[in-house]
Amino acid sequence: MPIAVEALPPEKFAAWVKAQGGSMPGEKKAEAAAPAAPVAAPAAPPASAVPTTDAAAAPAAAATN
């Protein structure tokens, strides 16, 4: 079976590698470093989740000190 060797510019070689389903060294690192979408900030907790200082909570807080 004959083997053909071609000298290509780096850009054409990278395009050929990608067309064959491969990737160039360093290509995946660049994709992983840049996130696909910005991450949203976490939402504030609902008002019912905010701790209160009512009479029932005071004895528990005093017992931990």
Side-chain angles (χ1 to χ4, degrees):
M1 174 181 216
I3 298 173
V5 177
E6 288 185 52
L8 297 175
E11 298 82 25
K12 285 189 176 184
F13 177 69
W16 178 83
V17 169
K18 190 172 185 178
Q20 301 301 313
S23 61
M24 296 297 291
E27 184 177 326
K28 289 186 178 182
K29 291 179 186 175
E31 291 174 5
V39 177
S48 62
V50 177
T52 60
T53 55
D54 60 4
T64 60
N65 291 336

